[in-house]
Amino acid sequence: MTTNEDWWAIWCAALLLLIAFAAVWIGQPENLSELIAGSTMEEVSQVETAPENAGPSAEAENEAIETENTAPAENADLEVAETQEVAEEEPYEYASPLKPFLAKPGKWTANPLDAISSSWSGILGVFLIIAALFAFANQMRGKSAGAFLAAFPVIFLLATLAYWMSGQSVVKAYNLEYALWALLVGLIISNTVGTPDFLRPAISTEFYIKTGLVLLGAEVLMSRLLALGLPGVFVAWLVTPVVLITTYWFGQKVLKIQSKSLNMVISADMSVCGVSAAIATAAACKAKKEELSLSIGLSLGFTVIMMAVMPAVITAMGIDPILGGAWLGGTIDSTGAVAAAGAVLGDEALEVAATVKMIQNILIGVTAFCVAIYWVTFVERDPAGPRIGISEIWYRFPKFVLGFVSMSILFSILYSYMTNGPELINAMIGGSTKTLRGWFFCLAFVSIGLETNFRQLLPQLKGGKPLVLYVCGQSLNLVLTLVMAYLMFKVVFADTVAP
């Protein structure tokens, strides 16, 4: 718990949530309940009086026409007064005291400076918070805080550049979100001049994304998580084992891949959740380092392609956000890529995609455990080898999932049972944690781009069989996941998962 990346993602996110909630709790007006009640009464009054005005009599209509013809200036004044009255009667919304200090580049059309002219202080605030928090976390994990602080400003600047590019009005109209630009910025550097070594201490893809996902837990109410969880289990836990076993069998019986460990690592990488599953499975089946590198390289390469292409395909096919999010969550390898691709389709798709992926992530430990048993029992057949204990599942289990669920439970309770809970939680999320989550995702995709070098991947394809294995397995995964997601989210549990 003091050095593991998953635990530190939980500690960092929990600290940010604690500070964010304390800010809205301490900063709330003393008469917040009265302000909310008054706003609610105004809304009810408007609804009650609306039917009376909805159907004017013929006499009233004639008077209105006569008035319009005889006193246009007076009518104009009345329209202005009515507009002002409506504006004054807008519902009261409590904002977090931290909102002015946390921001991202805004929208701009012709002048690029418009993106940061009003938000530069908030951008600086985000930079200082993440830099201090992650420097401390790195130091506590036995890494160099100084090396991180030397590299992080560059990574953050690249993330800011990605946000800035996505904010241009024409780009925004085409829905080209920050995740795509963050990935492209990293890929251009990695595949041209190469990623400088001094940047590597701040390239922490998994750390950024896990912290962001724990923050996301506070945004997903437990009732919603439970509603998405059951169909998500069917999508993740039925399709994944079928794809893994089928792909491994295909590699051995059809493609005749000589290395069983390479075959297994690629199968687990592609079917479960990418890099984390590949590392866990490689340890379970004692794969060589170059086999693990090849598998991760394939995963990262296809993750880049799928993250950019699948949202566009989903939109072109007219698939709704819930089904699209479930499809993304069950197929894209990287947790971060799932979140970013889901964000392109909207918050609803992000919620579903992240939930399905985290349910699938639970299979990392189970997969590694089962592979280890299979390897010892059938592949290696070494009677003198060490026994595989049940504790292996816990060692492989992605701990940050516990953080996501814990935050969802905690803030669901606060939302439901605390006085003015919905207003306080919404103010916390809208004014601070959602902004920070977006920055963590953006930093993660800059990091993915900086870590992905296609030139290093090409010589490792070894005659093309690993590539064929991955493509065939992922094709099967795409088809089965879409079918299962449709059955679970649009047929069997359609009423439950509807927002």
Side-chain angles (χ1 to χ4, degrees), residues 446-457:
V446 170
S447 299
I448 288 179
L450 292 172
E451 288 181 312
T452 305
N453 191 316
F454 294 114
R455 289 174 297 181
Q456 295 178 356
L457 176 62

Side-chain angles (χ1 to χ4, degrees), residues 368-382:
F369 179 74
C370 293
V371 168
I373 292 177
Y374 173 76
W375 231 250
V376 171
T377 306
F378 295 100
V379 178
E380 295 178 345
R381 297 179 184 272
D382 184 6

Side-chain angles (χ1 to χ4, degrees), residues 143-276:
K143 298 185 177 182
S144 172
F148 174 83
L149 290 174
F152 182 69
V154 179
I155 305 297
F156 189 84
L157 182 62
L158 294 176
T160 305
L161 178 62
Y163 263 131
W164 172 78
M165 288 190 291
S166 68
Q168 208 280 330
S169 56
V170 176
V171 172
K172 206 169 186 66
Y174 284 96
N175 204 30
L176 300 176
E177 296 290 339
Y178 71 91
L180 175 62
W181 297 106
L183 198 60
L184 286 175
V185 167
L187 285 172
I188 289 171
I189 294 174
S190 175
N191 291 274
T192 53
V193 298
T195 303
D197 290 337
F198 86 93
L199 290 182
R200 299 199 179 276
I203 299 176
S204 304
T205 302
E206 295 293 325
F207 198 6
Y208 293 133
I209 205 65
K210 290 171 183 176
T211 306
L213 286 171
V214 177
L215 288 177
L216 178 63
E219 302 177 32
V220 181
L221 296 181
M222 198 62 201
S223 58
R224 185 68 176 149
L225 183 60
L226 291 175
L228 297 175
L230 188 56
V233 165
F234 281 98
V235 172
W237 290 8
L238 289 184
V239 174
T240 299
V242 171
V243 173
L244 190 154
I245 294 170
T246 303
T247 304
Y248 180 74
W249 175 89
F250 180 77
Q252 290 297 291
K253 301 299 182 180
V254 179
L255 296 180
K256 306 292 184 182
I257 295 177
Q258 293 184 352
S259 174
K260 293 183 178 181
S261 56
L262 173 62
N263 191 356
M264 179 59 75
V265 172
I266 292 177
S267 301
D269 179 311
M270 175 272 306
S271 61
V272 184
C273 66
V275 175
S276 298

Side-chain angles (χ1 to χ4, degrees), residues 422-433:
E423 287 72 25
L424 293 175
I425 300 303
N426 289 336
M428 179 197 76
I429 293 171
S432 55
T433 59

Side-chain angles (χ1 to χ4, degrees), residues 310-332:
M310 285 192 69
V313 171
I314 290 170
T315 302
M317 293 175 64
I319 298 176
D320 67 82
I322 291 179
L323 178 57
W327 195 23
L328 293 173
T331 52
I332 297 180

Side-chain angles (χ1 to χ4, degrees), residues 12 129-139 148 204 207-208 211 440:
C12 291
I129 289 172
I130 298 179
L133 184 63
F134 272 53
F136 175 75
N138 275 275
Q139 189 67 34
F148 174 83
S204 304
F207 198 6
Y208 293 133
T211 306
F440 282 124

